[in-house]
Amino acid sequence: MIVTLQDMLKDAENKNYAVACINATTYEGLRGIIEAAEELNAPVILGHAQVHETVAPIDEFGPLIVQEAVKAKVPVVVHLDHGMDYEYAIKAVRAGFNSIMYDCSVLSLEKNIEEVRHFTKLAHKMGVAVEGEVGCMPSNIVGQGGCTEFGKEIINIKDYYTKPEEARRFVEETGVDMLTVSFGTVHGVFVDKPELDIQLLTDIHKETDAYLVMHGSSGVDQDQMLAAVDHGVRKINHYTSVGTAPASPLMEAVQRAEDPVYYHDLAKMSKDIIKEKSKEIIALLRSHMR
């Protein structure tokens, strides 16, 4: 069933757990995520990222996500992850998404606030929750020698950390429901072992009443993940660990096969693998114990 983001994360705040937001790019992945949540009787946030438009066009895949969310036996929020332009975010709202990340974090703080404030006012009138980001989280691009953002190598990841005072101002002036903060994670595959700045997270949590969000969670140690939850993170995004999980088992299955390999068998195998990986993530965040 589709529920409001506010109700879902209010319960997480009261009971000290986080909800997994897992991006789906195929029907098999979508079903695997939902089945994982249902088996654990846990809430889940189904994500669709704008960057995946070429493999899962929102005009076609968006209504399918909403349809499956409505039929789910657990609380579900349908969320646009990293909507980077206004028109695309509006497309998601029209498709039935009830939570939007409007990501203007590459802009100056002032312009970020201006753009997100305008969108949030409109979204709230339609009952849609909004997530913003302060502190532009970098990405690890395999093959480019480390942590990069827009083709530039980052010397010090701390330069991208969210400043508590800017987080407070952003939330106060935009009215967002959720805030993505940068405190040690990156998108993609970690080149170096991540070390989360939990003290910074604690300081940000004290400065704002928005629900805090962690992106770039694939590869973060379990103890650090739980420390983030214990210090205020209520939504944790995953994709890389889930999206890459089927690759090796599928290759092994194809290489071992003596009979013809059917696509539908590989698709079902992918769904089952994604389900098990999603169950691991959901269980770690304690949302199944609510």
PDB file of all heavy atoms in Angstrom, residues 55-89:
ATOM      1  N   VAL A  55      17.302   3.279 -19.451  1.00  0.00           N
ATOM      2  CA  VAL A  55      16.982   1.853 -19.318  1.00  0.00           C
ATOM      3  C   VAL A  55      15.586   1.635 -18.741  1.00  0.00           C
ATOM      4  O   VAL A  55      15.016   0.552 -18.896  1.00  0.00           O
ATOM      5  CB  VAL A  55      18.021   1.109 -18.450  1.00  0.00           C
ATOM      6  CG1 VAL A  55      19.369   1.119 -19.129  1.00  0.00           C
ATOM      7  CG2 VAL A  55      18.121   1.713 -17.061  1.00  0.00           C
ATOM      8  N   ALA A  56      15.043   2.656 -18.069  1.00  0.00           N
ATOM      9  CA  ALA A  56      13.708   2.540 -17.477  1.00  0.00           C
ATOM     10  C   ALA A  56      12.997   3.883 -17.617  1.00  0.00           C
ATOM     11  O   ALA A  56      12.916   4.655 -16.656  1.00  0.00           O
ATOM     12  CB  ALA A  56      13.811   2.129 -16.013  1.00  0.00           C
ATOM     13  N   PRO A  57      12.490   4.198 -18.799  1.00  0.00           N
ATOM     14  CA  PRO A  57      11.842   5.487 -19.031  1.00  0.00           C
ATOM     15  C   PRO A  57      10.686   5.701 -18.054  1.00  0.00           C
ATOM     16  O   PRO A  57       9.835   4.817 -17.890  1.00  0.00           O
ATOM     17  CB  PRO A  57      11.337   5.384 -20.472  1.00  0.00           C
ATOM     18  CG  PRO A  57      12.177   4.315 -21.096  1.00  0.00           C
ATOM     19  CD  PRO A  57      12.487   3.351 -20.003  1.00  0.00           C
ATOM     20  N   ILE A  58      10.655   6.848 -17.432  1.00  0.00           N
ATOM     21  CA  ILE A  58       9.664   7.077 -16.382  1.00  0.00           C
ATOM     22  C   ILE A  58       8.238   7.050 -16.928  1.00  0.00           C
ATOM     23  O   ILE A  58       7.307   6.656 -16.219  1.00  0.00           O
ATOM     24  CB  ILE A  58       9.953   8.395 -15.637  1.00  0.00           C
ATOM     25  CG1 ILE A  58       9.148   8.430 -14.331  1.00  0.00           C
ATOM     26  CG2 ILE A  58       9.666   9.608 -16.518  1.00  0.00           C
ATOM     27  CD1 ILE A  58       9.562   9.525 -13.379  1.00  0.00           C
ATOM     28  N   ASP A  59       8.043   7.461 -18.167  1.00  0.00           N
ATOM     29  CA  ASP A  59       6.697   7.424 -18.747  1.00  0.00           C
ATOM     30  C   ASP A  59       6.150   6.004 -18.814  1.00  0.00           C
ATOM     31  O   ASP A  59       4.935   5.786 -18.747  1.00  0.00           O
ATOM     32  CB  ASP A  59       6.698   8.034 -20.154  1.00  0.00           C
ATOM     33  CG  ASP A  59       6.886   9.546 -20.128  1.00  0.00           C
ATOM     34  OD1 ASP A  59       6.634  10.153 -19.062  1.00  0.00           O
ATOM     35  OD2 ASP A  59       7.305  10.109 -21.156  1.00  0.00           O
ATOM     36  N   GLU A  60       7.028   5.017 -18.949  1.00  0.00           N
ATOM     37  CA  GLU A  60       6.614   3.620 -19.032  1.00  0.00           C
ATOM     38  C   GLU A  60       6.782   2.894 -17.697  1.00  0.00           C
ATOM     39  O   GLU A  60       5.897   2.147 -17.265  1.00  0.00           O
ATOM     40  CB  GLU A  60       7.439   2.902 -20.107  1.00  0.00           C
ATOM     41  CG  GLU A  60       7.322   3.505 -21.496  1.00  0.00           C
ATOM     42  CD  GLU A  60       8.339   2.940 -22.466  1.00  0.00           C
ATOM     43  OE1 GLU A  60       8.993   1.941 -22.116  1.00  0.00           O
ATOM     44  OE2 GLU A  60       8.489   3.502 -23.569  1.00  0.00           O
ATOM     45  N   PHE A  61       7.934   3.116 -17.052  1.00  0.00           N
ATOM     46  CA  PHE A  61       8.252   2.360 -15.843  1.00  0.00           C
ATOM     47  C   PHE A  61       7.643   2.992 -14.589  1.00  0.00           C
ATOM     48  O   PHE A  61       7.325   2.273 -13.637  1.00  0.00           O
ATOM     49  CB  PHE A  61       9.777   2.265 -15.693  1.00  0.00           C
ATOM     50  CG  PHE A  61      10.225   1.163 -14.771  1.00  0.00           C
ATOM     51  CD1 PHE A  61       9.886  -0.162 -15.030  1.00  0.00           C
ATOM     52  CD2 PHE A  61      10.986   1.438 -13.650  1.00  0.00           C
ATOM     53  CE1 PHE A  61      10.299  -1.188 -14.191  1.00  0.00           C
ATOM     54  CE2 PHE A  61      11.407   0.427 -12.807  1.00  0.00           C
ATOM     55  CZ  PHE A  61      11.067  -0.891 -13.069  1.00  0.00           C
ATOM     56  N   GLY A  62       7.478   4.301 -14.593  1.00  0.00           N
ATOM     57  CA  GLY A  62       6.914   4.978 -13.428  1.00  0.00           C
ATOM     58  C   GLY A  62       5.543   4.450 -13.027  1.00  0.00           C
ATOM     59  O   GLY A  62       5.327   4.062 -11.871  1.00  0.00           O
ATOM     60  N   PRO A  63       4.569   4.390 -13.954  1.00  0.00           N
ATOM     61  CA  PRO A  63       3.250   3.855 -13.601  1.00  0.00           C
ATOM     62  C   PRO A  63       3.306   2.398 -13.138  1.00  0.00           C
ATOM     63  O   PRO A  63       2.501   1.978 -12.303  1.00  0.00           O
ATOM     64  CB  PRO A  63       2.461   3.983 -14.913  1.00  0.00           C
ATOM     65  CG  PRO A  63       3.115   5.116 -15.625  1.00  0.00           C
ATOM     66  CD  PRO A  63       4.578   4.986 -15.305  1.00  0.00           C
ATOM     67  N   LEU A  64       4.259   1.621 -13.656  1.00  0.00           N
ATOM     68  CA  LEU A  64       4.402   0.226 -13.232  1.00  0.00           C
ATOM     69  C   LEU A  64       4.858   0.158 -11.768  1.00  0.00           C
ATOM     70  O   LEU A  64       4.355  -0.662 -10.995  1.00  0.00           O
ATOM     71  CB  LEU A  64       5.404  -0.495 -14.131  1.00  0.00           C
ATOM     72  CG  LEU A  64       5.659  -1.970 -13.809  1.00  0.00           C
ATOM     73  CD1 LEU A  64       4.371  -2.786 -13.914  1.00  0.00           C
ATOM     74  CD2 LEU A  64       6.731  -2.540 -14.735  1.00  0.00           C
ATOM     75  N   ILE A  65       5.797   1.018 -11.392  1.00  0.00           N
ATOM     76  CA  ILE A  65       6.234   1.065  -9.993  1.00  0.00           C
ATOM     77  C   ILE A  65       5.057   1.396  -9.086  1.00  0.00           C
ATOM     78  O   ILE A  65       4.840   0.750  -8.058  1.00  0.00           O
ATOM     79  CB  ILE A  65       7.359   2.098  -9.797  1.00  0.00           C
ATOM     80  CG1 ILE A  65       8.598   1.727 -10.613  1.00  0.00           C
ATOM     81  CG2 ILE A  65       7.735   2.205  -8.320  1.00  0.00           C
ATOM     82  CD1 ILE A  65       9.699   2.768 -10.560  1.00  0.00           C
ATOM     83  N   VAL A  66       4.290   2.393  -9.472  1.00  0.00           N
ATOM     84  CA  VAL A  66       3.131   2.804  -8.666  1.00  0.00           C
ATOM     85  C   VAL A  66       2.119   1.670  -8.572  1.00  0.00           C
ATOM     86  O   VAL A  66       1.574   1.383  -7.495  1.00  0.00           O
ATOM     87  CB  VAL A  66       2.484   4.071  -9.266  1.00  0.00           C
ATOM     88  CG1 VAL A  66       1.187   4.412  -8.539  1.00  0.00           C
ATOM     89  CG2 VAL A  66       3.459   5.243  -9.209  1.00  0.00           C
ATOM     90  N   GLN A  67       1.866   1.007  -9.681  1.00  0.00           N
ATOM     91  CA  GLN A  67       0.912  -0.114  -9.707  1.00  0.00           C
ATOM     92  C   GLN A  67       1.328  -1.216  -8.741  1.00  0.00           C
ATOM     93  O   GLN A  67       0.506  -1.744  -7.975  1.00  0.00           O
ATOM     94  CB  GLN A  67       0.832  -0.668 -11.125  1.00  0.00           C
ATOM     95  CG  GLN A  67       0.043  -1.953 -11.277  1.00  0.00           C
ATOM     96  CD  GLN A  67       0.165  -2.519 -12.682  1.00  0.00           C
ATOM     97  OE1 GLN A  67      -0.117  -1.844 -13.662  1.00  0.00           O
ATOM     98  NE2 GLN A  67       0.622  -3.766 -12.786  1.00  0.00           N
ATOM     99  N   GLU A  68       2.600  -1.576  -8.761  1.00  0.00           N
ATOM    100  CA  GLU A  68       3.089  -2.635  -7.875  1.00  0.00           C
ATOM    101  C   GLU A  68       3.089  -2.169  -6.420  1.00  0.00           C
ATOM    102  O   GLU A  68       2.866  -2.970  -5.504  1.00  0.00           O
ATOM    103  CB  GLU A  68       4.490  -3.072  -8.300  1.00  0.00           C
ATOM    104  CG  GLU A  68       4.544  -3.747  -9.660  1.00  0.00           C
ATOM    105  CD  GLU A  68       3.705  -5.018  -9.701  1.00  0.00           C
ATOM    106  OE1 GLU A  68       3.849  -5.870  -8.803  1.00  0.00           O
ATOM    107  OE2 GLU A  68       2.898  -5.152 -10.644  1.00  0.00           O
ATOM    108  N   ALA A  69       3.352  -0.886  -6.187  1.00  0.00           N
ATOM    109  CA  ALA A  69       3.337  -0.344  -4.828  1.00  0.00           C
ATOM    110  C   ALA A  69       1.939  -0.402  -4.225  1.00  0.00           C
ATOM    111  O   ALA A  69       1.759  -0.732  -3.049  1.00  0.00           O
ATOM    112  CB  ALA A  69       3.847   1.089  -4.828  1.00  0.00           C
ATOM    113  N   VAL A  70       0.935  -0.107  -5.032  1.00  0.00           N
ATOM    114  CA  VAL A  70      -0.456  -0.145  -4.565  1.00  0.00           C
ATOM    115  C   VAL A  70      -0.831  -1.549  -4.120  1.00  0.00           C
ATOM    116  O   VAL A  70      -1.538  -1.742  -3.122  1.00  0.00           O
ATOM    117  CB  VAL A  70      -1.412   0.352  -5.674  1.00  0.00           C
ATOM    118  CG1 VAL A  70      -2.863   0.068  -5.299  1.00  0.00           C
ATOM    119  CG2 VAL A  70      -1.217   1.839  -5.922  1.00  0.00           C
ATOM    120  N   LYS A  71      -0.333  -2.568  -4.830  1.00  0.00           N
ATOM    121  CA  LYS A  71      -0.681  -3.955  -4.521  1.00  0.00           C
ATOM    122  C   LYS A  71       0.140  -4.540  -3.374  1.00  0.00           C
ATOM    123  O   LYS A  71      -0.192  -5.608  -2.867  1.00  0.00           O
ATOM    124  CB  LYS A  71      -0.486  -4.823  -5.768  1.00  0.00           C
ATOM    125  CG  LYS A  71      -1.414  -4.469  -6.931  1.00  0.00           C
ATOM    126  CD  LYS A  71      -1.336  -5.500  -8.040  1.00  0.00           C
ATOM    127  CE  LYS A  71       0.051  -5.585  -8.642  1.00  0.00           C
ATOM    128  NZ  LYS A  71       0.113  -6.529  -9.791  1.00  0.00           N
ATOM    129  N   ALA A  72       1.207  -3.862  -2.975  1.00  0.00           N
ATOM    130  CA  ALA A  72       2.101  -4.402  -1.953  1.00  0.00           C
ATOM    131  C   ALA A  72       1.387  -4.577  -0.617  1.00  0.00           C
ATOM    132  O   ALA A  72       0.468  -3.825  -0.282  1.00  0.00           O
ATOM    133  CB  ALA A  72       3.315  -3.488  -1.778  1.00  0.00           C
ATOM    134  N   LYS A  73       1.832  -5.558   0.158  1.00  0.00           N
ATOM    135  CA  LYS A  73       1.215  -5.871   1.451  1.00  0.00           C
ATOM    136  C   LYS A  73       1.881  -5.141   2.609  1.00  0.00           C
ATOM    137  O   LYS A  73       1.546  -5.388   3.771  1.00  0.00           O
ATOM    138  CB  LYS A  73       1.272  -7.384   1.682  1.00  0.00           C
ATOM    139  CG  LYS A  73       0.542  -8.186   0.612  1.00  0.00           C
ATOM    140  CD  LYS A  73       0.773  -9.677   0.786  1.00  0.00           C
ATOM    141  CE  LYS A  73       0.122 -10.475  -0.344  1.00  0.00           C
ATOM    142  NZ  LYS A  73       0.404 -11.933  -0.235  1.00  0.00           N
ATOM    143  N   VAL A  74       2.828  -4.270   2.295  1.00  0.00           N
ATOM    144  CA  VAL A  74       3.540  -3.500   3.313  1.00  0.00           C
ATOM    145  C   VAL A  74       3.485  -2.022   2.918  1.00  0.00           C
ATOM    146  O   VAL A  74       3.190  -1.683   1.767  1.00  0.00           O
ATOM    147  CB  VAL A  74       5.008  -3.957   3.439  1.00  0.00           C
ATOM    148  CG1 VAL A  74       5.088  -5.361   4.012  1.00  0.00           C
ATOM    149  CG2 VAL A  74       5.717  -3.863   2.091  1.00  0.00           C
ATOM    150  N   PRO A  75       3.774  -1.113   3.858  1.00  0.00           N
ATOM    151  CA  PRO A  75       3.796   0.315   3.517  1.00  0.00           C
ATOM    152  C   PRO A  75       4.899   0.638   2.504  1.00  0.00           C
ATOM    153  O   PRO A  75       6.044   0.218   2.665  1.00  0.00           O
ATOM    154  CB  PRO A  75       4.066   0.995   4.867  1.00  0.00           C
ATOM    155  CG  PRO A  75       3.681  -0.005   5.903  1.00  0.00           C
ATOM    156  CD  PRO A  75       3.986  -1.342   5.303  1.00  0.00           C
ATOM    157  N   VAL A  76       4.536   1.388   1.471  1.00  0.00           N
ATOM    158  CA  VAL A  76       5.472   1.731   0.402  1.00  0.00           C
ATOM    159  C   VAL A  76       5.373   3.220   0.086  1.00  0.00           C
ATOM    160  O   VAL A  76       4.276   3.788   0.058  1.00  0.00           O
ATOM    161  CB  VAL A  76       5.187   0.925  -0.882  1.00  0.00           C
ATOM    162  CG1 VAL A  76       6.121   1.342  -2.012  1.00  0.00           C
ATOM    163  CG2 VAL A  76       5.303  -0.571  -0.619  1.00  0.00           C
ATOM    164  N   VAL A  77       6.514   3.845  -0.142  1.00  0.00           N
ATOM    165  CA  VAL A  77       6.594   5.187  -0.704  1.00  0.00           C
ATOM    166  C   VAL A  77       7.251   5.057  -2.073  1.00  0.00           C
ATOM    167  O   VAL A  77       8.202   4.294  -2.242  1.00  0.00           O
ATOM    168  CB  VAL A  77       7.407   6.137   0.206  1.00  0.00           C
ATOM    169  CG1 VAL A  77       7.820   7.406  -0.536  1.00  0.00           C
ATOM    170  CG2 VAL A  77       6.611   6.492   1.453  1.00  0.00           C
ATOM    171  N   VAL A  78       6.747   5.789  -3.060  1.00  0.00           N
ATOM    172  CA  VAL A  78       7.314   5.763  -4.411  1.00  0.00           C
ATOM    173  C   VAL A  78       8.087   7.067  -4.617  1.00  0.00           C
ATOM    174  O   VAL A  78       7.512   8.155  -4.582  1.00  0.00           O
ATOM    175  CB  VAL A  78       6.223   5.592  -5.482  1.00  0.00           C
ATOM    176  CG1 VAL A  78       6.860   5.508  -6.866  1.00  0.00           C
ATOM    177  CG2 VAL A  78       5.397   4.348  -5.206  1.00  0.00           C
ATOM    178  N   HIS A  79       9.385   6.934  -4.828  1.00  0.00           N
ATOM    179  CA  HIS A  79      10.292   8.074  -4.721  1.00  0.00           C
ATOM    180  C   HIS A  79      11.121   8.284  -5.983  1.00  0.00           C
ATOM    181  O   HIS A  79      11.653   7.329  -6.557  1.00  0.00           O
ATOM    182  CB  HIS A  79      11.237   7.813  -3.538  1.00  0.00           C
ATOM    183  CG  HIS A  79      12.291   8.845  -3.335  1.00  0.00           C
ATOM    184  ND1 HIS A  79      12.036  10.075  -2.781  1.00  0.00           N
ATOM    185  CD2 HIS A  79      13.627   8.821  -3.608  1.00  0.00           C
ATOM    186  CE1 HIS A  79      13.157  10.771  -2.702  1.00  0.00           C
ATOM    187  NE2 HIS A  79      14.133  10.042  -3.211  1.00  0.00           N
ATOM    188  N   LEU A  80      11.245   9.544  -6.410  1.00  0.00           N
ATOM    189  CA  LEU A  80      12.167   9.890  -7.485  1.00  0.00           C
ATOM    190  C   LEU A  80      13.522  10.221  -6.870  1.00  0.00           C
ATOM    191  O   LEU A  80      13.644  11.130  -6.046  1.00  0.00           O
ATOM    192  CB  LEU A  80      11.665  11.096  -8.281  1.00  0.00           C
ATOM    193  CG  LEU A  80      12.632  11.609  -9.358  1.00  0.00           C
ATOM    194  CD1 LEU A  80      12.852  10.555 -10.436  1.00  0.00           C
ATOM    195  CD2 LEU A  80      12.135  12.915  -9.970  1.00  0.00           C
ATOM    196  N   ASP A  81      14.536   9.490  -7.268  1.00  0.00           N
ATOM    197  CA  ASP A  81      15.891   9.672  -6.748  1.00  0.00           C
ATOM    198  C   ASP A  81      16.689  10.568  -7.695  1.00  0.00           C
ATOM    199  O   ASP A  81      16.747  10.311  -8.899  1.00  0.00           O
ATOM    200  CB  ASP A  81      16.558   8.297  -6.616  1.00  0.00           C
ATOM    201  CG  ASP A  81      17.936   8.365  -6.011  1.00  0.00           C
ATOM    202  OD1 ASP A  81      18.204   9.293  -5.221  1.00  0.00           O
ATOM    203  OD2 ASP A  81      18.754   7.470  -6.322  1.00  0.00           O
ATOM    204  N   HIS A  82      17.274  11.618  -7.166  1.00  0.00           N
ATOM    205  CA  HIS A  82      18.100  12.538  -7.956  1.00  0.00           C
ATOM    206  C   HIS A  82      17.379  13.034  -9.205  1.00  0.00           C
ATOM    207  O   HIS A  82      17.883  12.900 -10.326  1.00  0.00           O
ATOM    208  CB  HIS A  82      19.433  11.894  -8.337  1.00  0.00           C
ATOM    209  CG  HIS A  82      20.351  11.706  -7.171  1.00  0.00           C
ATOM    210  ND1 HIS A  82      21.022  12.742  -6.562  1.00  0.00           N
ATOM    211  CD2 HIS A  82      20.694  10.593  -6.477  1.00  0.00           C
ATOM    212  CE1 HIS A  82      21.745  12.281  -5.560  1.00  0.00           C
ATOM    213  NE2 HIS A  82      21.550  10.983  -5.471  1.00  0.00           N
ATOM    214  N   GLY A  83      16.195  13.616  -8.989  1.00  0.00           N
ATOM    215  CA  GLY A  83      15.560  14.343 -10.077  1.00  0.00           C
ATOM    216  C   GLY A  83      16.326  15.646 -10.258  1.00  0.00           C
ATOM    217  O   GLY A  83      16.323  16.493  -9.369  1.00  0.00           O
ATOM    218  N   MET A  84      16.972  15.792 -11.391  1.00  0.00           N
ATOM    219  CA  MET A  84      17.905  16.909 -11.548  1.00  0.00           C
ATOM    220  C   MET A  84      17.360  18.072 -12.361  1.00  0.00           C
ATOM    221  O   MET A  84      18.035  19.092 -12.501  1.00  0.00           O
ATOM    222  CB  MET A  84      19.213  16.402 -12.156  1.00  0.00           C
ATOM    223  CG  MET A  84      19.967  15.481 -11.200  1.00  0.00           C
ATOM    224  SD  MET A  84      21.383  14.652 -11.958  1.00  0.00           S
ATOM    225  CE  MET A  84      20.557  13.426 -12.995  1.00  0.00           C
ATOM    226  N   ASP A  85      16.166  17.929 -12.879  1.00  0.00           N
ATOM    227  CA  ASP A  85      15.555  19.082 -13.532  1.00  0.00           C
ATOM    228  C   ASP A  85      14.062  19.115 -13.224  1.00  0.00           C
ATOM    229  O   ASP A  85      13.433  18.100 -12.950  1.00  0.00           O
ATOM    230  CB  ASP A  85      15.824  19.108 -15.041  1.00  0.00           C
ATOM    231  CG  ASP A  85      15.272  17.891 -15.757  1.00  0.00           C
ATOM    232  OD1 ASP A  85      14.043  17.775 -15.851  1.00  0.00           O
ATOM    233  OD2 ASP A  85      16.080  17.070 -16.227  1.00  0.00           O
ATOM    234  N   TYR A  86      13.524  20.295 -13.256  1.00  0.00           N
ATOM    235  CA  TYR A  86      12.152  20.553 -12.825  1.00  0.00           C
ATOM    236  C   TYR A  86      11.148  19.741 -13.636  1.00  0.00           C
ATOM    237  O   TYR A  86      10.225  19.135 -13.077  1.00  0.00           O
ATOM    238  CB  TYR A  86      11.872  22.048 -12.967  1.00  0.00           C
ATOM    239  CG  TYR A  86      10.519  22.485 -12.479  1.00  0.00           C
ATOM    240  CD1 TYR A  86      10.304  22.791 -11.142  1.00  0.00           C
ATOM    241  CD2 TYR A  86       9.454  22.606 -13.375  1.00  0.00           C
ATOM    242  CE1 TYR A  86       9.049  23.207 -10.699  1.00  0.00           C
ATOM    243  CE2 TYR A  86       8.211  23.018 -12.946  1.00  0.00           C
ATOM    244  CZ  TYR A  86       8.010  23.315 -11.605  1.00  0.00           C
ATOM    245  OH  TYR A  86       6.774  23.715 -11.169  1.00  0.00           O
ATOM    246  N   GLU A  87      11.342  19.716 -14.951  1.00  0.00           N
ATOM    247  CA  GLU A  87      10.375  19.026 -15.809  1.00  0.00           C
ATOM    248  C   GLU A  87      10.321  17.530 -15.503  1.00  0.00           C
ATOM    249  O   GLU A  87       9.245  16.926 -15.511  1.00  0.00           O
ATOM    250  CB  GLU A  87      10.734  19.251 -17.288  1.00  0.00           C
ATOM    251  CG  GLU A  87      10.541  20.669 -17.788  1.00  0.00           C
ATOM    252  CD  GLU A  87      11.634  21.622 -17.323  1.00  0.00           C
ATOM    253  OE1 GLU A  87      12.688  21.134 -16.829  1.00  0.00           O
ATOM    254  OE2 GLU A  87      11.442  22.847 -17.433  1.00  0.00           O
ATOM    255  N   TYR A  88      11.464  16.942 -15.229  1.00  0.00           N
ATOM    256  CA  TYR A  88      11.482  15.515 -14.927  1.00  0.00           C
ATOM    257  C   TYR A  88      10.809  15.229 -13.588  1.00  0.00           C
ATOM    258  O   TYR A  88      10.078  14.244 -13.445  1.00  0.00           O
ATOM    259  CB  TYR A  88      12.928  14.994 -14.908  1.00  0.00           C
ATOM    260  CG  TYR A  88      13.014  13.492 -15.037  1.00  0.00           C
ATOM    261  CD1 TYR A  88      13.053  12.885 -16.283  1.00  0.00           C
ATOM    262  CD2 TYR A  88      13.049  12.678 -13.909  1.00  0.00           C
ATOM    263  CE1 TYR A  88      13.122  11.503 -16.413  1.00  0.00           C
ATOM    264  CE2 TYR A  88      13.118  11.297 -14.027  1.00  0.00           C
ATOM    265  CZ  TYR A  88      13.157  10.714 -15.279  1.00  0.00           C
ATOM    266  OH  TYR A  88      13.212   9.350 -15.401  1.00  0.00           O
ATOM    267  N   ALA A  89      11.042  16.094 -12.619  1.00  0.00           N
ATOM    268  CA  ALA A  89      10.402  15.929 -11.311  1.00  0.00           C
ATOM    269  C   ALA A  89       8.887  16.003 -11.445  1.00  0.00           C
ATOM    270  O   ALA A  89       8.152  15.221 -10.808  1.00  0.00           O
ATOM    271  CB  ALA A  89      10.911  16.994 -10.345  1.00  0.00           C
TER     272      ALA A  89
END
